[in-house]
């Protein structure tokens, strides 16, 4: 296929989506609930071999579980940017031995040398590209990518004399073309050549999430069922489910181990990783075979999901009521009756958060560890929390309320702030180590990243607020193409093209396409969304304001 499918009017769109739904191969979806709807208790520790394994997947057209408001299907005039975006996305394709295996991170300068020799494909950057191709009915490249990265996972990974865990997935890989010898070679980076030498914790999680998206979209179970994919999943899971000294179910991380890949004070238990961790566990659960090896993981996943959702929904959640409670915390409380479990000193609450917190709305804060709460807003973590149903339906609504209430701060003139607010002056010096790229309101430090548009749009559709996504898309359409698809924007309002932003940044392009296609056909949401699991209701009553 050459380009996106566009429909001219709402009637056509409705008809189109409906007929598409009807035409999709059906795998017992009438009789069997989707695996999204199965509760963990059903999958509980005594899990039997999944009856009708094939029934857990409903291909792309799956639509139940959320009500797509009719307003989501207004007229979708093909915007001229869409065709341009597809052209650019296709130009970013990277081939290995004749097959497309990914998309280059940025296609900034058309220099031959760069195009031929430096074709870096980042795992996380490829996700929106992959979704765009899946939504457009082109799954082959996604399959190639999944297999290629799986192969790379098998490499021995060393930093100096230390060998990294077997399951680590690369942050990126590149293809070296040797025109003389007519050979292609792969080179992968697992953190050993990345700035700061941090391994990407998010790569493995994105890989699992993408494998599910591929399976869900194509109905092709055979890939996930292969021995290689099963092993790949188990290796990733073994890394993040391993036992250690932890007293929390959250995953302890080094700074810079995710999309924010430089020191930004996100070490500890960053929301970005916890949300992806949760989502990857939920995606892996129905894909794992219940053979001798898989079964053990299923049991561990189920336990971890329970603990993780309890912890996150209770301790990471912040709204007006919760903030007020923390503000009045007593400190130095011992024993299990403690309310202020992590001994957070109220004086450590930054001033900005009191003004920022609306009476309506809430969000998962950036990090929680002993005596430390990072109150910053992180977009990716909050949207992934919505998509994975880590947040309760009420919390999801509250997150969307916050976006509306704090539109100027979080969206401004260009969606979307990666984190809010920026850190400045002394704090910037201490936290970033004087990073000149991460100065206030730039790059990872309060910069605005158009790629986040697809996550915002998916969250909007899931929560029944497509109008928010439409408003954001309009902002993007005013500038992104004209500005040459920058990687990020700077400034409090996101008005300026980023200081060192690359142009023709692939995930800015793909993120836009995914957002457009999802709004056009909200059934695509099923690829990246999981329904609420009834077995994971919050049990603690520390702050109940989200249930009001
Ligand atoms: C920057 C971003 C990172 C991204 C990479 C490639 O390092 O921080 O998230 O994967 O660029 O675009």
């Amino acid at each position: 296929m050459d380009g996106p499918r566009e429909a001219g009017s709402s009637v056509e769109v409705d008809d189109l989506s409906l007929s598409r739904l009807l035409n999709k191969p059906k795998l017992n979806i009438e009789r069997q609930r989707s695996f999204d709807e199965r509760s963990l208790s059903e999958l509980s520790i005594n899990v039997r071999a999944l009856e009708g394994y094939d029934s857990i997947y409903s291909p792309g057209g799956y639509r139940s579980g959320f009500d797509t408001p009719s307003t989501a299907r207004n007229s979708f005039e093909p915007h001229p940017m869409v065709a341009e975006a597809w052209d650019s996305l296709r130009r970013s394709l990277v081939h290995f031995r004749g097959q497309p295996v990914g998309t280059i991170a940025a296609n900034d300068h058309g220099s031959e040398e760069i195009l031929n020799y430096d074709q870096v494909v980042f795992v996380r950057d490829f996700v929106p590209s992959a979704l765009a191709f899946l939504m457009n009915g082109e799954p082959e490249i996604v399959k190639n990518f999944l297999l290629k990265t799986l192969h790379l996972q098998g490499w021995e990974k060393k930093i100096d004399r230390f060998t990294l865990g077997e399951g680590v997935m690369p942050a990126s890989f590149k293809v070296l073309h040797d025109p003389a010898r007519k050979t292609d070679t792969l080179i992968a980076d697992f953190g050993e050549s990345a700035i700061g030498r941090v391994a990407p914790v998010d790569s493995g999680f994105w890989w699992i999430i993408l494998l599910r998206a591929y399976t869900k979209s194509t109905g092709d179970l055979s890939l996930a069922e292969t021995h290689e994919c099963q092993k790949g999943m188990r290796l990733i899971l073994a890394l993040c489910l391993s036992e250690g000294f932890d007293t929390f179910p959250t995953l302890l991380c080094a700074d810079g181990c995710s999309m924010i890949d430089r020191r930004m004070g996100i070490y500890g238990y960053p929301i970005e990783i916890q949300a992806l961790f949760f989502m990857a566990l939920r995606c892996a659960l129905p894909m794992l075979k219940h053979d001798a090896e898989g079964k053990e993981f299923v049991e561990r996943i189920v336990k971890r999901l329970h603990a993780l959702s309890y912890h996150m929904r209770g301790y990471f959640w912040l709204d007006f009521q919760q903030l007020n409670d923390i503000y009045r915390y007593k400190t130095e409380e011992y024993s299990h009756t403690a309310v202020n479990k992590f001994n957070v000193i109220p004086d450590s609450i930054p001033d900005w958060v009191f003004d920022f917190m609306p009476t309506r709305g809430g969000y998962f804060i950036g990090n929680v560890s002993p005596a430390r709460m990072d109150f910053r807003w992180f977009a990716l973590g909050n949207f992934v929390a919505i998509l994975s149903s880590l947040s309760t339906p009420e919390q999801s609504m509250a997150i969307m309320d916050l976006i509306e209430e704090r539109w100027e701060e979080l969206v401004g003139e260009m969606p979307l702030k990666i984190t809010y607010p920026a850190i400045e002056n002394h704090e910037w010096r201490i936290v970033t180590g004087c990073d000149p790229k991460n100065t206030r309101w730039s790059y990872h430090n309060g910069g605005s990243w158009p790629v986040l548009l697809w996550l915002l749009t998916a969250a909007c559709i899931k929560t029944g607020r497509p109008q928010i996504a439409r408003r954001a898309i309009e902002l993007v359409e005013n500038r992104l193409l004209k500005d040459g698809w920058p990687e990020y924007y700077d400034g409090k309002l996101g008005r300026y093209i980023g200081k060192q932003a690359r142009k023709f940044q692939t995930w800015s392009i793909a993120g836009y396409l995914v957002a457009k296609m999802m709004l056009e056909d909200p059934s695509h949401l099923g690829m990246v969304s999981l329904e609420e699991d009834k077995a994971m209701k919050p049990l603690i009553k520390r702050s109940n304001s989200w249930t009001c």
Side-chain angles (χ1 to χ4, degrees):
M1 268 193 238
D2 272 325
R5 297 158 304 190
E6 288 284 343
S9 74
S10 56
V11 181
E12 276 175 57
V13 169
D14 275 351
D15 289 345
L16 194 79
S17 345
L18 192 64
S19 60
R20 202 180 299 156
L21 275 175
L22 294 172
N23 286 335
K24 283 263 157 78
K26 281 195 205 147
L27 297 175
N28 301 334
I29 38 179
E30 296 90 348
R31 277 150 282 126
Q32 301 270 355
R33 277 170 305 150
S34 152
F35 71 99
D36 295 349
E37 292 170 90
R38 293 180 172 215
S39 81
L40 275 177
S41 51
E42 285 174 72
L43 277 165
S44 70
I45 318 295
N46 287 326
V47 208
R48 282 162 289 137
L50 282 178
E51 349 82 53
Y53 179 45
D54 57 352
S55 69
I56 41 182
Y57 298 99
S58 49
Y62 169 65
R63 208 185 250 277
S64 73
F66 63 95
D67 269 333
T68 303
S70 53
T71 49
R73 282 169 262 134
N74 276 341
S75 66
F76 289 97
E77 290 298 319
H79 193 281
M81 243 169 89
V82 170
E84 294 268 356
W86 273 107
D87 284 349
S88 300
L89 183 61
R90 291 189 194 288
R91 274 197 298 272
S92 74
L93 284 173
V94 170
H95 291 82
F96 178 74
R97 299 187 184 155
Q99 287 198 320
V101 289
T103 47
I104 196 167
N107 219 345
D108 200 349
H109 22 74
S111 135
E112 276 297 301
E113 195 187 335
I114 295 295
L115 281 179
N116 289 332
Y117 286 93
D118 215 9
Q119 307 207 358
V120 182
V121 179
F122 279 81
V123 169
R124 71 175 73 87
D125 292 44
F126 182 66
V127 173
S129 299
L131 295 175
F133 287 118
L134 288 175
M135 288 175 188
N136 203 41
E138 299 174 77
E140 269 314 297
I141 178 173
V142 181
K143 187 176 181 177
N144 295 341
F145 170 87
L146 288 166
L147 289 170
K148 209 40 79 196
T149 41
L150 194 58
H151 171 72
L152 297 173
Q153 185 197 36
W155 287 10
E156 186 180 276
K157 303 157 266 251
K158 272 195 155 176
I159 294 192
D160 296 333
R161 293 178 188 177
F162 183 68
T163 309
L164 267 70
E166 241 191 302
V168 178
M169 277 283 180
S172 66
F173 64 87
K174 57 183 164 183
V175 180
L176 290 188
H177 296 298
D178 184 336
R181 292 165 59 199
K182 293 204 170 51
T183 55
D184 282 355
T185 325
L186 285 175
I187 299 184
D189 171 41
F190 298 87
E192 76 275 28
S193 37
I195 298 167
R197 301 289 185 266
V198 183
V201 178
D202 62 340
S203 284
F205 296 150
W206 280 123
W207 188 88
I208 292 177
I209 293 166
L210 200 54
L211 180 63
R212 174 187 174 269
Y214 169 87
T215 310
K216 185 110 179 153
S217 146
T218 57
D220 169 18
L221 311 174
S222 62
L223 181 65
E225 281 181 340
T226 56
H227 171 72
E228 291 75 23
C229 281
Q230 292 288 318
K231 185 173 172 214
M233 268 191 282
R234 286 198 307 267
L235 286 176
I236 296 169
L237 294 167
L239 275 181
C240 57
L241 293 173
S242 66
E243 288 172 359
F245 287 97
D246 302 296
T247 46
F248 308 137
T250 34
L251 199 63
L252 185 60
C253 300
D255 219 339
C257 66
S258 64
M259 174 181 179
I260 297 177
D261 56 3
R262 301 164 76 91
R263 191 171 143 192
M264 266 298 294
I266 61 160
Y267 63 90
Y269 304 92
I271 179 66
E272 312 275 74
I273 291 296
Q274 310 314 320
L276 284 172
F277 179 29
F278 185 86
M279 179 138 186
L281 290 183
R282 286 203 66 195
C283 288
L285 198 51
M287 292 195 292
L288 278 173
K289 280 192 185 162
H290 291 229
D291 49 19
E293 289 157 305
K295 198 162 174 281
E296 186 211 322
F297 279 99
V298 169
E299 290 171 6
R300 286 161 75 186
I301 291 175
V302 172
K303 284 187 187 158
R304 192 62 170 260
L305 281 171
H306 276 291
L308 192 56
S309 67
Y310 179 91
H311 185 94
M312 298 298 297
R313 288 173 175 188
Y315 305 130
F316 273 64
W317 183 253
L318 192 76
D319 54 18
F320 183 77
Q321 180 62 49
Q322 176 73 357
L323 179 59
N324 210 151
D325 290 352
I326 299 172
Y327 175 63
R328 289 166 50 78
Y329 265 170
K330 292 187 186 58
T331 55
E332 318 296 330
E333 295 173 297
Y334 288 96
S335 94
H336 59 273
T337 53
V339 178
N340 181 5
K341 291 197 173 123
F342 309 118
N343 201 35
V344 173
I345 321 282
D347 268 356
S348 70
I349 307 174
D351 286 343
W352 66 264
V353 81
F354 293 104
D355 299 327
F356 177 70
M357 184 57 77
T359 10
R360 201 175 68 106
Y363 64 105
F364 289 105
I365 62 169
N367 220 308
V368 177
S369 60
R372 175 176 175 244
M373 289 178 105
D374 179 348
F375 289 90
R376 281 177 295 174
W377 150 268
F378 288 84
L380 186 145
N382 275 279
F383 294 138
V384 173
I386 293 178
L387 295 178
S388 61
S389 292
L390 169 60
S391 46
T392 65
E394 294 80 8
Q395 287 174 331
S396 300
M397 288 302 172
I399 295 170
M400 300 316 291
D401 288 341
L402 180 90
I403 305 260
E404 279 188 317
E405 298 278 329
R406 293 290 174 259
W407 185 262
E408 187 164 302
E409 289 86 345
L410 302 178
V411 182
E413 293 184 22
M414 179 54 69
L416 203 62
K417 291 259 169 27
I418 190 168
T419 163
Y420 179 90
I423 41 181
E424 319 183 33
N425 305 321
H426 181 63
E427 198 185 5
W428 164 78
R429 266 179 229 112
I430 302 296
V431 172
T432 71
C434 301
D435 188 343
K437 249 191 130 174
N438 276 331
T439 50
R440 62 182 181 164
W441 308 115
S442 182
Y443 203 43
H444 301 136
N445 187 8
S448 301
W449 291 64
V451 59
L452 298 171
L453 182 69
W454 82 263
L455 284 163
L456 169 73
T457 304
C460 286
I461 297 174
K462 183 157 183 182
T463 52
R465 312 266 188 103
Q467 69 283 0
I468 302 182
R470 245 179 257 124
R471 211 173 144 193
I473 289 177
E474 213 180 293
L475 290 171
V476 163
E477 288 179 340
N478 285 339
R479 299 230 9 215
L480 210 57
L481 173 65
K482 205 169 67 194
D483 294 343
W485 309 99
E487 182 186 14
Y488 63 94
Y489 285 77
D490 284 0
K492 256 189 174 166
L493 290 173
R495 183 184 279 175
Y496 299 94
I497 298 174
K499 214 174 2 183
Q500 292 186 40
R502 285 173 302 215
K503 296 280 185 79
F504 291 91
Q505 182 76 19
T506 303
W507 67 1
S508 299
I509 298 165
Y512 167 70
L513 285 173
V514 171
K516 288 293 269 192
M517 284 191 280
M518 262 194 297
L519 263 189
E520 180 195 333
D521 179 356
S523 71
H524 287 314
L525 179 68
M527 269 188 233
V528 287
S529 170
L530 297 143
E531 290 308 302
E532 156 86 341
D533 193 310
K534 303 287 179 299
M536 287 191 285
K537 281 265 173 276
L539 300 171
I540 36 175
K541 295 273 174 222
R542 235 160 37 103
S543 167
N544 263 345
S545 56
W546 66 80
T547 58
C548 295

